[in-house]
């Protein structure tokens, strides 16, 4: 046979079929499962943290309303104590008054100055001072930044 005749009998080259994305190899399913579990776990803990901080957001909103109304020191103290009762043991917080009350607030929030919220010791005085802008700032700072043990 003639080599040219043999070449004419050859069929043209065919390209192989494209490799599809599905079905995935088992290793990819494992990676997808691990990622789904990780994302689900992160969302779960983020949601729990958001729920645990709900009392803080409510307290900050309450302080904002009280400040807008130019509330007195008794209402400021009530807002702080109500929030503290949600975060700490009632045995610890409920009986605090006088200088012990602002001291407790300063001890539970490292961002507060040593003289912050001293106005709260005047709650039971006959004619207490009105809270200043600095007092409202410190109260809001305590609401947002107080440390609660995770135990």
């Amino acid at each position: 046979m003639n080599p040219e005749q043999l070449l004419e009998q050859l069929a043209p080259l065919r390209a192989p079929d494209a490799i599809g994305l599905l079905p995935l190899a088992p290793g990819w399913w494992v990676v997808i499962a691990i990622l789904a579990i990780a994302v689900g776990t992160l969302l779960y803990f983020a949601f729990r943290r958001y729920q645990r901080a709900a009392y803080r957001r409510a307290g900050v909103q309450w302080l904002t309303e009280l400040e807008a109304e130019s509330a007195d020191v008794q209402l400021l103290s009530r807002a702080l104590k109500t929030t503290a009762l949600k975060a700490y043991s009632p045995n610890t917080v409920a009986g605090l008054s006088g200088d012990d009350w602002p001291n407790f607030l300063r001890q539970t929030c490292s961002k507060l100055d040593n003289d912050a919220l001293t106005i709260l010791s005047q709650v039971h005085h006959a004619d207490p001072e009105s809270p200043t802008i600095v007092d409202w700032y410190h109260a809001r700072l305590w609401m947002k930044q107080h440390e609660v043990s995770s135990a």
Side-chain angles (χ1 to χ4, degrees), residues 68-90:
E69 298 169 2
S70 299
D72 59 4
V73 70
Q74 285 88 2
L75 289 174
L76 172 61
S77 182
R78 182 183 302 162
L80 289 169
K81 191 161 280 197
T82 301
T83 304
L85 285 169
K86 292 180 181 179
Y88 301 100
S89 166

Side-chain angles (χ1 to χ4, degrees), residues 106-123:
R106 287 190 293 267
Q107 289 170 357
T108 56
C109 182
S110 60
K111 306 233 183 212
L112 289 179
D113 301 334
N114 289 335
D115 59 344
L117 297 172
T118 53
I119 192 170
L120 296 177
S121 60
Q122 300 179 9
V123 169

Side-chain angles (χ1 to χ4, degrees), residues 38-103:
V39 167
T41 303
L42 287 173
L43 288 174
Y44 172 75
F45 284 113
F47 181 70
R48 284 200 31 183
R49 182 177 177 167
Y50 179 79
Q51 282 183 319
R52 281 194 309 265
Y55 77 95
R56 290 178 190 256
R57 290 188 301 277
V60 169
Q61 181 180 0
W62 191 8
L63 283 179
T64 303
E65 292 169 4
L66 290 176
E67 184 179 13
E69 298 169 2
S70 299
D72 59 4
V73 70
Q74 285 88 2
L75 289 174
L76 172 61
S77 182
R78 182 183 302 162
L80 289 169
K81 191 161 280 197
T82 301
T83 304
L85 285 169
K86 292 180 181 179
Y88 301 100
S89 166
N91 295 336
T92 306
V93 177
L96 294 174
S97 63
D99 290 334
D100 293 337
W101 175 225
N103 287 338

